[in-house]
Every structure is written in C-alpha cells, then in structure tokens.
Amino acid sequence: MPKERVVDIVEQLTLPILEAHELELVDVEYKKEGGSWFLRVFIDKPGGVDIDDCSKVSEQLSDRLDEVDPIPTAYFLEVSSPGAERPLKKPADFERAVGSYVHVSLYQPLDGQKAFEGVLLSYGADGAELEVREKGVRKHVHIPVDAVASARLAIEF
C-alpha cells in the first residue's frame, strides 16, 4: 500500500480519538528507517501535550489500527508532541504562527535563496510575508504559497 494512502487512513482513524480528548492532529508520518517501518503521529493542544495525552492516544489508536488493519507490514507506532520546531502544514498552522520565528524551505530559489528564517508577519491565500535579517539589515520577503516546500517554527539564536 502506498505511504500516502496509509497516512490518509491513519489520519481518518486518529481524528475521532483526538476530538474526544480535545487534541489536534499536527502530522502523520509513515517511513522506513533502517530495516523497520515507523508510524508517527504528532499531536498538540494549547499549552502542549504531556505523556498522559500521548499514552491515551497511543493505546486507543493502536486498538483501532488492530481492528482496521490498514498496514500490511510490521511497524512501530509512536505518538508524540511535534516539539518546539513544530511543522507548519495547514493554513491554520501558519495563521497561528503569525508573530513567531519560522524557517521556510522553497522548491525553487527566490532571490537566490531556497530557505528563509525570520518572523512571520502575515499569511494569506497569496502567501507569507516574513521579516528576515540579511547582513544585519531587516527586510521583508514575500513567499508565494505554492513556492513553500516545507515550513516549521524555529528557534532564534
């Protein structure tokens, strides 16, 4: 079964469990590392998740996955927080991150760069506006939505 299909099925199985606990689905990954497959489910809530949240979701999701059995190979299930460098995938993620320091990677270079870090000033249908520092000078960069390969919160040093 294609990885994308597994991710879609796991998302559908996970959402009702998270809604019951007032948690948010951040991301689902299904990938092979070394000789083993890993199914990772990242969850969050305002103020962050704790080990009890992860444990509850893991137990309930594991039972649900056993019932439906959508993955033909053996795998390890991991349920965790997305961490301090939470990925930004959905428009709501970007909107919530306005005012935060972010890292954005692009498919193609923009002004000779494929990655930008700075404060996310705004986000909308036409793209993201970042304030970045270049050689000590602050400047604004507009990044079209369809140019974004990946984005995440970042820690400013």
Side-chain angles (χ1 to χ4, degrees):
M1 177 179 299
K3 290 193 298 186
E4 296 79 18
R5 178 99 172 99
V6 168
V7 167
D8 290 342
I9 291 168
V10 171
E11 284 180 1
Q12 291 172 10
L13 296 174
T14 305
L15 287 173
I17 296 167
L18 297 180
E19 287 172 10
H21 296 289
E22 298 180 353
L23 298 166
E24 173 192 356
L25 179 62
V26 174
D27 199 10
V28 174
E29 290 180 354
Y30 180 60
K31 59 171 45 171
K32 191 170 192 175
E33 294 178 1
S36 301
W37 282 93
F38 289 85
L39 176 60
R40 294 186 176 106
V41 177
F42 299 96
I43 62 174
D44 207 358
K45 69 180 179 187
V49 293
D50 59 26
I51 192 128
D52 290 334
D53 295 320
C54 295
S55 178
K56 281 187 256 184
V57 171
S58 180
E59 289 173 17
Q60 292 178 17
L61 180 57
S62 180
D63 289 346
R64 193 71 180 109
L65 288 166
D66 288 345
E67 289 172 24
V68 177
D69 200 21
I71 304 172
T73 59
Y75 61 91
F76 294 96
L77 173 63
E78 297 176 357
V79 177
S80 67
S81 160
E85 294 190 336
R86 173 192 172 131
L88 305 174
K89 295 199 169 221
K90 299 171 260 182
D93 296 336
F94 283 90
E95 291 162 6
R96 188 174 31 248
V98 169
S100 299
Y101 194 77
V102 299
H103 176 92
V104 179
S105 295
L106 309 178
Y107 290 112
Q108 301 292 325
L110 177 68
D111 296 332
Q113 288 184 252
K114 282 190 73 176
F116 292 90
E117 278 197 8
V119 176
L120 180 62
L121 299 174
S122 64
Y123 180 82
D126 64 332
E129 189 78 23
L130 268 70
E131 181 181 82
V132 299
R133 277 194 209 161
E134 205 170 273
K135 297 178 184 172
V137 177
R138 292 180 188 202
K139 73 175 198 173
H140 289 203
V141 176
H142 178 78
I143 302 173
V145 171
D146 60 354
V148 177
S150 66
R152 61 176 168 74
L153 294 177
I155 298 171
E156 187 175 8
F157 291 100

